[in-house]
Amino acid sequence: MAAFSDLLDLRTAVIEQVGSPEIADIFPRLVTLAEARFNRELRLRDQITEATLTLASGTAALPIDYLEMIGVYSAAGCEYVQQTLQQNKAMDGYYAISGGNLTRKGYSGDLLAQYYAAVPTITASMTASNWLLSKYPGIYLYGVAFEAAKSIRDKEMAADMGGLMQGEI
């Protein structure tokens, strides 16, 4: 059994951790801030995802949950090398990331992208959960408690919760 079954369980634990029930009103915002930090810092095997990208005239939109590319492969399994956008425009056989798109000079067709996906949010409902909350509940507990401590302007608690969060990460 996981330490927290859902957002409601997590909210109770964070309120107890920081001793501040008034954060309940802004709890979804605190979770969103913590999840943004997780998406900047975490790169776990549970985040590895694959998607088929269909390029038209050398461009395909990246998946909505895209964080960082691991590899791009042809249907035959050949891996393409990532280069800067300028090099990609000058040479064939490479790809580049430009904004929310993957580009490959003059290519049309499918490519397989293996990438790190964003942690799915748990703010959709009070009974929402995800793999990170189930597998690594301490990351959520201390990450959201860190945001709560900053919100109530308790620098000492924020430093403590930030250290505990980094320890869990």
Side-chain angles (χ1 to χ4, degrees):
M1 183 176 150
F4 310 118
S5 62
D6 55 25
L7 182 65
L8 187 58
D9 260 0
L10 178 63
R11 183 179 75 174
T12 301
V14 171
I15 288 171
E16 290 171 355
Q17 186 75 29
V18 300
S20 185
E22 64 270 9
I23 66 165
D25 293 338
I26 60 166
F27 195 74
R29 183 176 345 136
L30 300 175
V31 172
T32 299
L33 289 168
E35 288 173 341
R37 175 180 290 274
F38 303 157
N39 286 327
R40 285 190 307 273
E41 294 185 12
L42 296 178
R43 294 296 181 267
L44 303 171
R45 70 176 170 263
D46 299 282
Q47 291 175 275
I48 297 174
T49 305
E50 292 183 350
T52 299
L53 304 180
T54 302
L55 283 78
S57 301
T59 302
L62 292 168
I64 194 94
D65 62 350
Y66 169 84
L67 292 176
E68 181 180 327
M69 194 63 71
I70 297 169
V72 174
Y73 309 91
S74 70
C78 293
E79 183 174 7
Y80 294 102
V81 177
Q82 185 173 355
Q83 295 292 335
T84 65
L85 190 57
Q86 292 78 13
Q87 288 174 316
N88 183 53
K89 288 179 180 177
M91 299 182 287
D92 197 18
Y94 298 95
Y95 76 94
I97 304 297
S98 177
N101 294 311
L102 180 136
T103 63
R104 182 161 180 265
K105 180 184 172 187
Y107 187 84
S108 292
D110 291 342
L111 294 175
L112 178 68
Q114 187 178 49
Y115 65 97
Y116 288 102
V119 174
T121 187
I122 60 171
T123 60
S125 76
M126 292 308 284
T127 58
S129 187
N130 64 21
W131 61 265
L132 184 63
L133 184 62
S134 297
K135 288 179 116 174
Y136 307 104
I139 292 176
Y140 257 106
L141 174 63
Y142 299 125
V144 178
F146 172 71
E147 296 300 335
K150 290 189 325 185
S151 178
I152 61 175
R153 294 178 176 86
D154 187 328
K155 290 181 182 179
E156 186 176 323
M157 184 187 307
D160 291 346
M161 293 301 114
L164 290 168
M165 175 186 59
Q166 288 304 318
E168 288 289 323
I169 288 174

